[in-house]
Amino acid sequence: MTNPERAQIPDLDSLPWPDREQIDLARYVEVWHRHHGMGSVNLITARGCPYRCRWCSHAVFGYTHRRRSPRDCADEVAHIVEAYRPEQLWYADDVFTIHHRWLYEFAGLLKQRGLVRPFETISRADRLLKDEVLATLAEMGCYRVWIGSESGSQRILDAMERGVTVEQVQWATHAAKRHGIEVGMFLMWGYDGETVADIEATVEHVKKANPDIFFTTVAYPIKNTAYYREVADRVVLDQDWAGATDRDHKLRGQRPRDYYTQADQWLRNAVAASQMAASDPPAAAEKLRLAQQARDAVLAWPVEA
Ligand code: SF4
């Protein structure tokens, strides 16, 4: 049995802000401070993402994009700053810079009201391709933007229907850094059809883009996504359904975790070698040796029966 879909709320300003008093936010901010050097509180300025990356779940907000008004968001920032005094904010939108006119208006309000605070957020490279957008983010206090880069292989990006090119990711990364904004990158191994050549392209891409930080994950099909439907006949769940999460869905034919651990070692050591090449050649040589060792392990991985 499936519940019918609920109508979406068109006017997000009509909703109250999250009732943060229901949790021990002081402790949350303190734990953030202890682990990251800055206490953080998050908020969202919009619901939904209209893009259609095949593996991404839209189960909660659908494919719509609904924004709160800049004024309501600025009011919430003012409240957070006054009530919890975090050292930074986290704008947890799917694509924070999706609507440029909205961004400029919001930035103007924050400035006018003395609400400029350091923050992190997430966006897509193709919504960061303007110096004006990046300059605005920097003025608003953005010190790190996370970009879903996923792969350095255009073939894989196209298979994902990301709607972004490798060159756009590289341009956005370099441009953000030029504006004094750190870049964090999300990468995904093991999308269906990925080959060693695609992994190699990702290693080269990250070396060239040179983000300040990057995280990798291994692809898994989430129910009700286009990706899941595409690979459904190969999805395996080898544990009790009730205790499983999306991440436990394996794809028959996908390489095991150890393979991607080697791909990770290849990537991390190759990027470190590239970063150290000029400043510390002996350390760079050692990193390169480790990268080559991991690359050899990936290349020598036995083909699954
Ligand atoms: S991955 Fe990001 S850009 Fe793509 S559909 Fe999901 S939220 Fe939107």
Side-chain angles (χ1 to χ4, degrees):
M1 182 169 153
T2 312
N3 289 335
E5 272 193 24
R6 228 173 40 172
Q8 286 169 342
I9 300 162
D11 177 13
L12 297 186
D13 283 5
S14 66
L15 295 171
W17 301 333
D19 184 2
R20 295 183 174 86
E21 291 305 310
Q22 294 304 313
I23 55 173
D24 185 352
L25 212 71
R27 185 151 171 257
Y28 177 87
V29 172
E30 188 274 316
V31 169
W32 251 88
H33 185 89
R34 196 153 18 102
H35 290 275
H36 302 284
M38 290 206 272
S40 183
V41 172
N42 58 55
L43 71 156
I44 60 169
T45 70
R47 286 186 172 187
C49 171
Y51 293 96
R52 292 190 175 252
C53 309
R54 293 178 69 80
W55 40 264
C56 180
S57 174
H58 285 65
V60 179
F61 295 141
Y63 289 93
T64 62
H65 184 71
R66 291 161 288 149
R67 298 209 71 82
R68 299 168 56 197
S69 69
R71 182 160 308 280
D72 189 43
C73 295
D75 287 347
E76 189 180 1
V77 170
H79 164 72
I80 289 171
V81 165
E82 196 190 319
Y84 308 109
R85 309 208 167 277
E87 288 122 328
Q88 72 154 62
L89 300 167
W90 233 113
Y91 290 102
D93 294 32
D94 287 334
V95 188
F96 184 61
T97 59
I98 195 169
H99 193 311
H100 293 167
R101 211 166 2 97
W102 183 96
L103 184 77
Y104 302 147
E105 201 181 320
F106 182 50
L109 273 181
L110 292 184
K111 203 166 162 191
Q112 207 181 64
R113 296 175 58 175
L115 292 171
V116 169
R117 293 290 184 283
F119 72 89
E120 286 183 74
T121 193
I122 305 178
S123 194
R124 289 169 54 95
D126 58 327
R127 299 309 295 157
L128 291 169
L129 293 179
K130 272 180 167 176
D131 276 306
E132 193 183 354
V133 169
L134 292 161
T136 303
L137 283 178
E139 274 171 24
M140 290 167 73
C142 181
Y143 74 91
R144 184 184 291 147
V145 64
W146 290 88
I147 298 176
S149 171
E150 315 309 347
S151 176
S153 161
Q154 193 60 50
R155 194 180 71 83
I156 293 296
L157 291 182
D158 292 345
M160 291 172 169
E161 292 183 24
R162 275 290 285 162
V164 170
T165 66
V166 175
E167 288 72 29
Q168 286 176 327
V169 175
Q170 292 190 357
W171 190 93
T173 305
H174 293 144
K177 290 171 79 163
R178 253 196 340 266
H179 283 273
I181 302 171
E182 286 180 20
V183 175
M185 206 177 250
F186 296 124
L187 297 153
M188 188 189 287
W189 296 127
Y191 194 78
D192 196 36
E194 184 187 61
T195 64
V196 176
D198 298 315
I199 293 176
E200 183 133 44
T202 298
V203 172
E204 291 309 310
H205 160 61
V206 182
K207 272 165 58 182
K208 210 163 148 193
N210 195 22
D212 297 275
I213 181 171
F214 56 89
F215 289 133
T216 59
T217 187
V218 177
Y220 54 92
I222 302 173
K223 275 213 162 168
N224 252 328
T225 60
Y227 185 47
Y228 190 98
R229 285 190 288 278
E230 180 185 323
V231 298
D233 58 341
R234 286 184 287 135
V235 173
V236 189
L237 182 61
D238 50 16
Q239 69 179 80
D240 180 33
W241 177 86
T245 71
D246 280 325
R247 283 176 188 269
D248 297 311
H249 287 115
K250 307 257 170 11
L251 208 55
R252 208 178 310 117
Q254 192 181 43
R255 304 287 197 165
R257 293 283 152 154
D258 289 353
Y259 176 88
Y260 296 112
T261 303
Q262 291 300 331
D264 242 36
Q265 289 303 313
W266 176 6
L267 172 66
R268 290 186 185 284
N269 285 301
V271 172
S274 162
Q275 288 169 338
M276 292 170 172
S279 61
D280 191 347
E286 175 57 12
K287 292 289 181 191
L288 202 57
R289 187 188 68 75
L290 293 170
Q292 270 158 2
Q293 191 176 302
R295 180 177 184 271
D296 290 346
V298 166
L299 285 168
W301 206 271
V303 176
E304 310 279 301

